[in-house]
Every structure is written in C-alpha cells, then in structure tokens.
Amino acid sequence: MSSQSTEQLIQAYIAAHRDPARPVPAAILQALDAAGAMAVQGEVLRQLGETAAVAKVAAPAGSPALAAPIIDSWVTRSGGTLQLHGRNLMGLEMEIAAVLKSDLSPEIARQGKAAVLGAIDHFIVGIELIGTRIDQHKQAGPFGPLSDFMITAGYVTGLQAISTLPEVDGLPITLETAAGATHLGPAKHPFGGVLEPIIAYACAPFDHFGGLRAGMAITTGSLCALIEVPPTGTVTLRLGDFEPVSVILS
C-alpha cells in the first residue's frame, strides 16, 4: 500500500475506535501484507494514546507467527467490569497467558523451551473478548484482521499465578451466566501448546508495540470454539481445577 493509503487506513481505524458505528470497510484492507498490518497496529495504538501490557500471539499454519496488542483500557482483572461502550462483541475465548519476568529476545527464543521458561514468571488463565472494527472481517484479506489488533476487544486476567507450564489439552471448560452453567467440552490448544506460539513469534518478532517486554502477559490462543454470551451481565469461565475467571460486561 502507498503511504497515503496507509495513513487513510490508520485514520479509518481511529474513527472506528472512537465511534463503533463507523466500521472500517473490508475492501480497503485486502491488499495489506503482514508487515503492513503490524505497522498499522502500532500507529493506531500510538495515535489512540494507548499502551498495551497484554499481547496475543498466534502461529497459523502457512503464515509467519503473528502478534497484536490488547490495549490497557480494555483489560481488567478477574471480577472486574469491562464497559464495551458500543464496541462489537462477537464472543469470548478461554486462553492461557504467560507473564514475562524478563524481555523475551530472539536469542532466548532460539535456545528452546527451557530458555523461554526461564523468561516467564508464571502463567494465568484468561478470557479474551473477540470483536472487530471491520464491517466484514472475513472479507478483509489474509492480514486485514491482523491490522485490527487481531480482532481483539479486551482481556480478563485470572488471579491465580500458575508456577509451572500448564497442560491444558483435555481439561473441561464450563461457562456460567445468569442462564446457568454450560459444559463446553474439553480444551484443545490451537497451536500445539502454550509455549509453541510464543517461541514461534519470539524467534522473529516484527511488531511495533514492544510485544515481548518484561511484565507483559502474552496470551496464546483459544482453547475452545468462540463462546457466545450476552453483551451485559456476569460471565464466568472455568478451566479444569484452576480458579475460575469472571467479568462483568456492561
């Protein structure tokens, strides 16, 4: 994309963030490549005046490993409230995040799992809110959704500090709302495990928001299908015997 087109796209995102009734047209995103999408992320974050202490990583087959910020004003601890202010909410995902105790560099990542574990302080269970600023995100090209912060709409950090790498595949997931409890089936990590997408991205990072800094929580992919919930009310998700994570949506 030309620099003029990129700036127009950035301003379209700024407008969509400030007014959810003005989504970004999918058609103007179709030509984006991964590097361009990551650059748009960083500039939108900067122009919004936001910071990000939570990031998400993904390692899709056939694509470079990717990352996106989850802006601080969209993050709360378990038991807190997230106000959507008209933001699109497609659903929730239950995830595992790693909280870094030191910067995770490519040099560390290339040494393998033991070295990466040395950069991690602990793990947490979290809930990611999924939502988009794009009018038709499935028609936005291969990297359009990446430019939209990988269609995140917020995050809820669990309170339990898990000291060792959790084995999550096969654990039961339960949803609790005002309508009652629903068993969602066994957890399955989408990228082979909690560390795999972190390592894949850390080996070749190219974000514009400083995505692997000490103190950050790095969330690693949904353990189940997208969970549809009402846009208001209290939602609680449980993964196995770990402490539940809850949020009040308003």
Side-chain angles (χ1 to χ4, degrees), residues 137-165:
H137 71 280
K138 292 183 179 180
Q139 280 75 53
F143 297 109
L146 175 64
S147 70
D148 185 29
F149 296 160
M150 220 185 295
I151 64 172
T152 193
Y155 202 80
V156 186
T157 58
L159 304 181
Q160 180 183 4
I162 304 167
S163 59
T164 58
L165 177 65

Side-chain angles (χ1 to χ4, degrees), residues 15-76:
H17 278 277
R18 292 174 175 164
D19 181 0
R22 299 175 59 187
V24 176
I28 68 173
L29 300 167
Q30 293 174 359
L32 271 179
D33 60 11
M38 296 287 261
V40 168
Q41 285 182 10
E43 187 59 19
V44 170
L45 189 72
R46 187 189 70 80
Q47 292 196 29
L48 287 173
E50 289 278 3
T51 54
V54 179
K56 59 188 296 187
V57 291
S63 170
L66 307 169
I70 303 179
I71 61 179
D72 288 341
S73 62
W74 293 357
V75 176
T76 190

Side-chain angles (χ1 to χ4, degrees), residues 45-102:
L45 189 72
R46 187 189 70 80
Q47 292 196 29
L48 287 173
E50 289 278 3
T51 54
V54 179
K56 59 188 296 187
V57 291
S63 170
L66 307 169
I70 303 179
I71 61 179
D72 288 341
S73 62
W74 293 357
V75 176
T76 190
R77 300 183 76 198
S78 180
T81 298
L82 281 178
Q83 296 181 334
L84 296 177
H85 297 297
R87 270 198 321 277
N88 171 262
L89 178 64
M90 297 157 58
L92 308 180
E93 294 180 348
M94 169 145 271
E95 303 184 352
I96 296 288
V99 180
L100 299 179
K101 67 180 177 183
S102 60

